[in-house]
């Protein structure tokens, strides 16, 4: 099975509760991963404005740092 990191992000409190919030994104990506032979070994989630660059988003920055450790075949994003 291929190993993947998952990333989910909402840009504000209203998207977290209305629309495709973090839990819904995780569920959809997890379902896709299972059907396509991926094991999500770690999730990274941001609730932060999309106007900020990637390195100002705590979870995205952590994801990039984790990806550098190797052993990951893919990053899966909603």
């Amino acid at each position: 099975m291929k190993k993947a990191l998952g990333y989910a992000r909402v840009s504000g409190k209203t998207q977290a509760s209305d629309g495709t919030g973090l839990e819904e994104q995780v569920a959809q990506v997890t379902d896709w991963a299972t059907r396509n032979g991926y094991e999500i070994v770690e999730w990274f989630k941001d609730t932060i404005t999309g106007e900020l660059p990637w390195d100002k988003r705590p979870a995205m920055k952590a994801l990039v740092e984790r990806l550098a450790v190797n052993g990951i075949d893919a990053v899966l994003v909603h």
Side-chain angles (χ1 to χ4, degrees), residues 43-56:
W43 275 98
F44 298 85
K45 303 172 190 173
D46 277 321
T47 303
I48 198 163
T49 177
E51 295 175 3
L52 293 176
W54 73 268
D55 61 341
K56 300 296 184 207

Side-chain angles (χ1 to χ4, degrees), residues 3 11 14 16-18 22 24 28 31-33 42 62 70:
K3 300 208 179 289
S11 58
T14 57
S17 59
D18 302 333
L22 292 175
E24 180 63 22
Q28 289 179 18
D31 180 56
W32 185 93
E42 193 170 352
N70 292 322

Side-chain angles (χ1 to χ4, degrees), residues 2-65:
K2 297 171 274 191
K3 300 208 179 289
L5 301 177
Y7 181 70
R9 182 186 68 82
V10 294
S11 58
K13 292 180 182 176
T14 57
Q15 186 184 359
S17 59
D18 302 333
T20 309
L22 292 175
E23 290 181 23
E24 180 63 22
Q25 290 180 41
V26 168
Q28 289 179 18
V29 171
T30 299
D31 180 56
W32 185 93
T34 301
R35 289 183 283 110
N36 289 279
Y38 286 91
E39 173 191 4
I40 300 175
V41 296
E42 193 170 352
W43 275 98
F44 298 85
K45 303 172 190 173
D46 277 321
T47 303
I48 198 163
T49 177
E51 295 175 3
L52 293 176
W54 73 268
D55 61 341
K56 300 296 184 207
R57 300 176 190 171
M60 177 58 86
K61 189 172 180 180
L63 182 148
V64 171
E65 290 169 358

